[in-house]
Amino acid sequence: MNREQRVSVKQEHPKNSPTIAEAVRGLHNSETNHRRYDAGQGLCSPYNAAVTSFLVGALLHASPDWVSSADWGVSYNPTHICALNDSTVIMRCTYTYPTGHQIKKVFWTKTKDKEKHEEFPDLSEDPEYSQRLQYLGDKQQDCTVRLSHVTLKDSHMYYFRFITDKVDKKWIGKSGMSLTVTDLQVESPDNVTEGDSVSLTCKSSCTLTDRATFIWNRNSQPLTERRDRNNELLLQSVRREDSGRYSCAVDGHTHVSPDVHLNVHWLSSFHDPPRNVSVLINGSGEIVEGDSVTLKCISDSNPSALNFSWFKENESSAVGSGQSFSALQSGRFYCQAHNQHGSQRSDAVTVTGEAFINTLLYLHIIHQFGELFMMIFLFQFITLLVGM
């Protein structure tokens, strides 16, 4: 109903029409209604007709948007989105308004409350959103928007706002759309022994809206045989080789969970010598002139290894002791771990000494060609004396 029609309704009120309060009391007073009912015609008396006409007209005049509110609206689908950190989110919605209006401005905002004479803040003008927000809708009925590279700080309620060409004819969908942004965490058991069945879970703070295929990594390398739709990785009868750093991700997304270390302990009778002895090299394994390379001997021992010995390959005598060893020269070194039940040695590792080798080569060249350089010098000196 337009403004002109509302005015005409108001002009049809009888001169002695009651107030709104009187009209309400009149409609709810059964004795009065019965007394003023025309039984012969089956219609309300002129008094009741005047009351009804005035009441409707007064309400329309006092609240011009009340009757047309059913024609205005914003519908969000879905109303809640759970998205992965650093992903792209599509927030879909549609909006409606009465015929005869033209849309002048559309935008999304993070608040549904404002001061009376202020406008809602437009997210496209917000520096935190302007480069990541793209409106995909139109100025007819589609209000879909895309938000890229979402972060945990983007978890919020979002609302669509549109403004028409009519004075004070604007609308905001106050039901809003909820966005929750989550990261991923790997949950693993604390104590794992060889032969156990182990379940690792890729957890998020909410259930992802889009269907997700989870990917698992061990020591930053993908476990290509495991691409599950559920968020669990099941390891049957684990071995020592299953130890390592595990992380999870969602196929098609860049976000990766932090690493969680899975340590598989070996079964022991408490009377075994050290097992799985190996050498860790600190750095590249290359000796820089005047420096050394630190080697560390590690093992599985139950009871723990009591002492360690270091050997250079093809030499029978130990070149060092202790869990750590500083190699001052190039060569192949290995360690031997001992406890009260026996010992075991590691494989040999190679330590190179490029700077050291280059120095020896230089000295060798000087030694080989030193006599030649001296003869040349003496020849030039004698020639100079003869010329004088």
Side-chain angles (χ1 to χ4, degrees):
M1 181 180 293
N2 57 34
R3 186 171 294 279
E4 288 74 19
Q5 290 173 319
R6 291 172 185 157
V7 171
S8 64
V9 171
K10 183 177 180 180
Q11 291 175 342
E12 291 175 357
H13 297 160
K15 293 182 179 181
N16 296 324
S17 296
T19 64
I20 294 179
E22 291 172 342
V24 171
R25 284 197 299 271
L27 288 176
H28 287 82
N29 190 327
S30 59
E31 182 179 355
T32 302
N33 288 342
H34 176 74
R35 202 165 45 241
R36 290 176 177 169
Y37 185 83
D38 188 344
Q41 299 295 326
L43 298 172
C44 291
S45 68
Y47 181 82
N48 270 348
V51 170
T52 304
S53 176
F54 178 81
L55 180 60
V56 173
L59 289 173
L60 293 178
H61 179 73
S63 179
D65 289 334
W66 179 81
V67 70
S68 58
S69 61
D71 299 329
W72 299 78
V74 177
S75 176
Y76 304 93
N77 185 27
T79 57
H80 175 75
I81 294 178
C82 173
L84 193 60
N85 195 10
D86 198 35
S87 65
T88 296
V89 173
I90 304 294
M91 296 187 285
R92 305 182 185 278
C93 77
T94 56
Y95 61 106
T96 57
Y97 50 91
T99 57
H101 293 68
Q102 290 186 352
I103 302 300
K104 290 300 184 182
K105 184 177 182 180
V106 293
F107 60 93
W108 283 75
T109 184
K110 289 200 301 185
T111 179
K112 62 178 179 179
D113 300 310
K114 66 177 183 65
E115 296 297 328
K116 183 175 181 180
H117 299 294
E118 294 180 356
E119 185 50 82
F120 295 96
D122 185 346
L123 282 185
S124 65
E125 300 173 358
D126 187 331
E128 292 188 5
Y129 287 85
S130 58
Q131 300 300 315
R132 301 184 294 128
L133 193 72
Q134 182 181 5
Y135 185 71
L136 304 179
D138 51 37
K139 289 187 176 181
Q140 297 178 2
Q141 61 180 12
D142 186 1
C143 46
T144 301
V145 69
R146 175 168 56 205
L147 182 60
S148 305
H149 302 293
V150 294
T151 66
L152 300 181
K153 292 196 307 181
D154 292 328
S155 297
H156 215 284
M157 289 293 299
Y158 293 86
Y159 309 92
F160 177 69
R161 170 76 157 169
F162 63 94
I163 300 173
T164 72
D165 58 339
K166 309 297 183 184
V167 178
D168 294 331
K169 295 300 181 181
K170 53 190 75 174
W171 194 266
I172 183 169
K174 289 194 173 184
S175 61
M177 176 178 290
S178 171
L179 172 62
T180 302
V181 181
T182 180
D183 53 13
L184 300 175
Q185 300 287 338
V186 175
E187 189 177 76
S188 68
D190 294 329
N191 297 310
V192 179
T193 305
E194 282 183 320
D196 289 348
S197 291
V198 177
S199 177
L200 304 181
T201 305
C202 189
K203 301 194 71 174
S204 57
S205 62
C206 56
T207 303
L208 296 174
T209 301
D210 295 333
R211 296 186 64 187
T213 299
F214 290 89
I215 300 173
W216 290 89
N217 304 308
R218 182 174 63 221
N219 300 327
S220 302
Q221 298 299 317
L223 297 174
T224 54
E225 71 274 14
R226 302 301 306 219
R227 297 174 66 89
D228 299 333
R229 284 215 172 269
N230 57 45
N231 60 339
E232 291 187 353
L233 173 64
L234 183 61
L235 302 175
Q236 300 278 8
S237 300
V238 293
R239 301 172 298 168
R240 283 287 302 163
E241 292 76 8
D242 292 317
S243 296
R245 296 174 289 106
Y246 285 81
S247 63
C248 67
V250 173
D251 192 20
H253 295 270
T254 58
H255 176 70
V256 181
S257 73
D259 289 338
V260 168
H261 188 76
L262 180 68
N263 187 20
V264 180
H265 301 282
W266 54 281
L267 291 172
S268 172
S269 64
F270 294 95
H271 299 287
D272 294 330
R275 294 176 54 183
N276 302 316
V277 182
S278 60
V279 176
L280 289 179
I281 302 178
N282 184 18
S284 64
E286 180 177 320
I287 298 175
V288 180
E289 187 174 4
D291 204 346
S292 62
V293 171
T294 300
L295 308 178
K296 185 176 182 180
C297 189
I298 60 173
S299 67
D300 286 330
S301 300
N302 195 359
S304 300
L306 298 176
N307 51 68
F308 303 87
S309 302
W310 291 90
F311 296 86
K312 189 173 184 180
E313 203 168 50
N314 300 324
E315 293 185 10
S316 58
S317 300
V319 295
S321 62
Q323 190 169 11
S324 295
F325 170 70
S326 294
L328 299 174
Q329 55 183 307
S330 60
R332 288 176 58 78
F333 296 87
Y334 65 90
C335 71
Q336 197 166 36
H338 309 261
N339 67 9
Q340 58 265 48
H341 301 293
S343 63
Q344 187 184 63
R345 60 157 284 181
S346 70
D347 292 331
V349 297
T350 301
V351 175
T352 60
E354 183 178 348
F356 179 72
I357 294 173
N358 288 343
T359 301
L360 292 179
L361 180 61
Y362 175 75
L363 293 175
H364 177 73
I365 292 174
I366 293 296
H367 177 73
Q368 292 292 326
F369 294 96
E371 294 181 0
L372 177 61
F373 292 153
M374 182 61 70
M375 291 177 62
I376 294 174
F377 173 76
L378 289 174
F379 176 77
Q380 291 180 343
F381 181 71
I382 294 172
T383 304
L384 179 64
L385 290 177
V386 172
M388 294 175 63

